[in-house]
Amino acid sequence: MAGGLRVAIVDDNRLMRAGLETTLSSAGDIEVVASCSGADALAAVARCRPDVVLLDIRMPDVDGITVLRQLRELPRRPVVAMLTAFSGDDEVSAALRSGAAGYLLKDIDPEDLVRQVRALGAGQRPLAPGVTPIVIDGYLADVSAHTEARTAVAALTVRERETLSLLGRGLSNAQIAHRMHIAPGTAKDYVSALLAKLGRVNRVQAAVLAERARLLTQVGRHHRRPAAASRPPASGSSSDPAVR
């Protein structure tokens, strides 16, 4: 049909795909342009250019999260919603964080499925009723983690916050020493003391804390400040190459 909502179905179960295609094709404004397993999804979507993709999350060939991330890399990205029998915290969180526009369950009524596909085409983000509490709980947990991180960072000195921000950007002790204009041994001592003060966390955990506290954005602005703004170049002086 011309001018309708173009939909692709990605599921490893052929009978499921056939049933979904029948349901959606019965609507006058929806056209199923592709129906395939996970392994064929990227090629099929790139070729058929659907507006909406309904994607299963657990498939034996390629899992739905991997397919979702692949589809997000396409030049013309379709709207992707998970349509699955699984609604665990891990599945829902992974799908939404990877860019899924919605999360529907396979026990959905046929009429409701048609409505939700139309909603996806209109830019809405439908969630199955059983998924909504998971999303809310995840949001609250995320807010709590960010609050705890900001509280921890507030207790640090200026030098400790600078060290943490550089850790968060993945710098080694030697690189931290270079950026802070200190000896490598001093930088190592700073890092060790900082990790102990934060509760004996490791470098990865410290980096996560820095990101949650929005410290990387703040320090990124600080480190991008040009030197010329505070010290105009003079014809008779030069910068010390040892600290560049």
Side-chain angles (χ1 to χ4, degrees):
M1 56 176 282
L5 188 62
R6 298 167 60 84
V7 176
I9 301 167
V10 181
D11 196 296
D12 64 298
N13 189 309
R14 291 185 179 182
L15 289 176
M16 176 60 67
R17 295 201 306 263
L20 292 172
E21 184 170 357
T22 298
T23 296
L24 295 175
S25 297
S26 66
D29 56 344
I30 297 176
E31 179 185 8
V32 177
V33 296
S35 178
C36 61
S37 64
D40 300 323
L42 185 61
V45 170
R47 182 178 66 254
C48 300
R49 303 180 70 178
D51 303 304
V52 173
V53 176
L54 298 178
L55 176 62
D56 193 9
I57 200 166
R58 290 192 189 178
M59 296 179 287
D61 47 6
V62 182
D63 69 273
I65 300 301
T66 298
V67 173
L68 173 59
R69 290 169 178 161
Q70 292 173 342
L71 297 180
R72 296 283 294 171
E73 297 298 320
L74 290 174
R76 183 183 183 276
R77 295 184 297 182
V79 174
V80 183
M82 313 312 292
L83 179 60
T84 179
F86 302 97
S87 58
D89 292 12
D90 292 343
E91 288 92 352
V92 174
S93 177
L96 297 181
R97 289 183 183 277
S98 296
Y103 201 103
L104 306 173
L105 299 180
K106 288 181 176 178
D107 61 0
I108 188 172
D109 290 335
E111 297 81 3
D112 194 24
L113 176 62
V114 171
R115 285 193 296 269
Q116 300 292 25
V117 168
R118 288 172 178 153
L120 287 162
Q124 299 178 34
R125 301 174 66 87
L127 296 174
V131 169
T132 303
I134 296 174
V135 175
I136 294 173
D137 290 345
Y139 171 77
L140 293 176
D142 193 53
V143 169
S144 176
H146 281 77
T147 300
E148 291 175 2
R150 286 192 291 269
T151 300
V153 168
L156 301 178
T157 65
V158 173
R159 180 52 63 94
E160 287 169 340
R161 284 197 293 272
E162 183 180 7
T163 304
L164 178 60
S165 71
L166 296 175
L167 271 177
R169 298 169 74 171
L171 273 64
S172 66
N173 288 349
Q175 291 170 322
I176 290 174
H178 180 74
R179 293 292 292 271
M180 297 178 70
H181 312 308
I182 57 178
T186 303
K188 181 179 179 181
D189 291 341
Y190 279 1
V191 170
S192 297
L194 173 64
L195 297 180
K197 186 172 182 176
L198 292 174
R200 300 194 179 280
V201 300
N202 58 37
R203 296 177 78 101
V204 173
Q205 291 168 324
V208 171
L209 187 146
E211 190 278 331
R212 287 176 172 170
R214 303 288 189 265
L215 197 58
L216 304 188
T217 302
Q218 298 169 12
V219 175
R221 288 196 295 264
H222 172 76
H223 282 292
R224 284 194 296 269
R225 189 178 303 154
S230 58
R231 188 178 63 232
S235 58
S237 63
S238 61
S239 299
D240 183 356
V243 297
R244 285 185 172 273

